[in-house]
Amino acid sequence: MEVDMFFSKFALISLLMTVMILDWLFTIIFQPECYWEDHSNPSELNPVGIMVLRAHPIWFIVLFFFYFLLILALATRLRRPFNMVVIVTALGGHAWGSSSWLHHIYSGHLEVDHWCVSLGYYTVIALIAAVCIANIHASKSTAEFFAEE
């Protein structure tokens, strides 16, 4: 049972890291051609991301690295339920952020509505997260689940 719980925690953190990296990677890769000539008009919805991308894409890469380490540290070092709040919030935000770039991947290849692809993407992320959280929760009583690890 302890191995299942460890694997579930590892899988949940791995899922979070994967979705965060996809969001970062898509943001850099799918910038329009004009952005690479003039950084004043990036394609980004996050106000902090816009500000950093306007400064320079290198700053975006560097700051994301430190942000990534901060989220990873909070997700692994905080006690429950605070670590779960960080994980679920970051996972939801970056799932939404990375999903906004999905149409760049399949446009021209598939005739599928962006809404359907996003829903499928969210569903896969939610299913993996739910299984991980359920396995972590099943290994402890409700009181132990919310207590210090």
Side-chain angles (χ1 to χ4, degrees), residues 16-149:
L16 172 61
M17 292 186 311
T18 301
V19 172
M20 288 179 71
I21 290 170
L22 284 174
D23 190 15
W24 166 77
L25 197 60
F26 291 167
T27 300
I28 291 295
I29 290 173
F30 296 125
Q31 287 299 312
E33 286 185 40
C34 62
Y35 170 76
W36 299 107
E37 297 166 11
D38 176 16
H39 303 311
S40 65
N41 195 19
S43 179
E44 175 63 23
L45 297 174
N46 179 330
V48 175
I50 291 171
M51 181 180 68
V52 176
L53 282 166
R54 282 183 179 155
H56 198 277
I58 292 297
W59 283 114
F60 183 76
I61 293 166
V62 169
L63 289 177
F64 183 84
F65 176 75
F66 287 108
Y67 165 72
F68 180 83
L69 293 178
L70 174 66
I71 295 298
L72 184 59
L74 292 173
T76 57
R77 306 254 187 246
L78 286 176
R79 288 196 227 163
R80 268 184 274 178
F82 305 110
N83 67 337
M84 297 305 275
V85 170
V86 169
I87 292 168
V88 171
T89 301
L91 191 57
H94 287 284
W96 175 77
S98 58
S99 75
S100 67
W101 298 104
L102 291 177
H103 69 280
H104 289 284
I105 296 170
Y106 68 83
S107 64
H109 304 291
L110 296 173
E111 299 223 6
V112 179
D113 186 69
H114 179 66
W115 184 87
C116 294
V117 173
S118 293
L119 182 61
Y121 181 69
Y122 296 141
T123 301
V124 168
I125 292 169
L127 284 171
I128 295 169
V131 167
C132 292
I133 292 169
N135 284 341
I136 294 167
H137 184 66
S139 67
K140 297 179 178 257
S141 70
T142 302
E144 290 173 325
F145 180 75
F146 288 107
E148 182 177 349
E149 296 180 315

